[in-house]
Amino acid sequence: MAINRTEIFKKVNKVIRKHFKPTLPNSRMPLLEQLVYAACLENSNAEAAEQAYAALEEQFFDWNEIRVSTVTELSEVIHMLTEPRAAANRVKRSLQSVFEANYSFELEAFKKENIGIAVKRIRGYQGAVTPFAVAYVTQNALGGHAIPLGAGALDVLFIIGAISEKEKAAHSVPGIERAIPKNKGPEFGSLINQLGIEFQRTPFGPPVRKIILEIEPSAKDRLPKRQSKTVKPKRPVKKAKTALKKPKKGTKPKTVKKKVTVKKKKASTASKKPARVKTKKRATVKKVKKKVATKRGAKRKPK
């Protein structure tokens, strides 16, 4: 497996040298500045990273002001990068972790230590420093041999079969330092980074696919495929309402009699007038006197 990987990495180096031009980094920068620059360079080209780094130095007073600034403010300053917000988050987290560990931004003492110890200390900054930045600092500030690989470069190496899916997730590329000599490390790192950026920018573009297939023709099946457009199911057609049939000549159209229900209004009890009670009329005074007189006269008749 190591021999196959070695051959693959050598072929990658041979092919990408024909399509890209390397941009050699500035190894004279202090270690902390290399760390900030690496946070800008990850997943972006060198030209944009240099512009972003210069903008940070120009817009802010010092590293501490950058540390206490928000991600939104930083991303607006380094907008020229491929992923401004992600890069701003890397810059802020790196400075924050260095400050919390040392209460300063001085890292030049790491250069006097053993490379392994220095790399371990940088890698242990609370997970704030990415593997790309650790490899970049190791290569350009500590004088070690490491190849910085961004997300796009890892995708390409996975497609050509150089690494497995598990190794890609762990950001591990076994055998790459053995296949690429130390003196060719910065050049190869710049070239593979450019190929990765181009792949992320246009994963379905013919130029980048042509380069990948030139490295490994059997990688055709592992290239990303466009998702087919989902066809929306057709809506059921509503049946048109049948028109009313016209009556034939000489026939009367049937009429449907509708039953009309008349609601009887209940008379309210309040509106009813009380019925008159018939009372016997009082007898007049004259009639009463007449009756009494007749009764007296009847008693006085002679025998």
Side-chain angles (χ1 to χ4, degrees), residues 8 20-21 43 46 55 95 100 152 157 179 274:
I8 291 173
F20 302 100
K21 292 182 180 181
N43 301 326
L95 292 174
E100 288 179 356
L157 293 177

Side-chain angles (χ1 to χ4, degrees), residues 182-203:
K182 182 179 178 181
N183 59 346
K184 297 293 183 180
E187 179 183 332
F188 179 81
S190 173
L191 295 173
I192 192 68
N193 188 48
Q194 292 180 55
L195 176 60
I197 293 166
E198 188 65 22
F199 177 76
Q200 281 192 315
R201 190 176 67 84
T202 57

Side-chain angles (χ1 to χ4, degrees), residues 15-132:
V15 173
I16 59 179
R17 288 179 68 183
K18 295 189 298 183
H19 297 278
F20 302 100
K21 292 182 180 181
T23 304
L24 298 179
N26 182 9
S27 58
R28 296 180 181 179
M29 294 171 64
L31 198 153
L32 181 69
E33 295 180 11
Q34 295 276 13
L35 195 64
V36 175
Y37 179 78
C40 297
L41 181 63
E42 188 169 350
N43 301 326
S44 295
N45 57 47
E47 184 180 357
E50 290 174 2
Q51 293 177 3
Y53 181 83
L56 289 173
E57 285 190 323
E58 182 180 351
Q59 296 293 330
F60 297 95
F61 179 73
D62 57 7
W63 298 120
N64 191 59
E65 187 180 358
I66 296 174
R67 178 183 69 87
V68 298
S69 298
T70 63
V71 173
T72 303
E73 291 172 342
L74 295 175
S75 60
E76 290 175 355
V77 174
I78 56 177
H79 60 87
M80 66 287 297
L81 298 177
T82 305
E83 300 172 341
R85 193 168 185 85
N89 191 34
R90 289 193 296 268
V91 170
K92 181 178 174 64
R93 288 180 62 193
S94 298
L95 292 174
Q96 181 67 30
S97 59
V98 169
F99 182 79
E100 288 179 356
N102 306 317
Y103 293 101
S104 68
F105 298 104
E106 182 61 40
L107 295 178
E108 290 303 298
F110 284 19
K111 293 181 178 180
K112 299 178 182 179
E113 297 179 356
N114 182 277
I115 293 178
I117 297 173
V119 170
K120 188 177 181 180
R121 290 182 64 182
I122 294 171
R123 191 178 292 154
Y125 279 139
Q126 300 177 3
V129 181
T130 63
F132 178 92

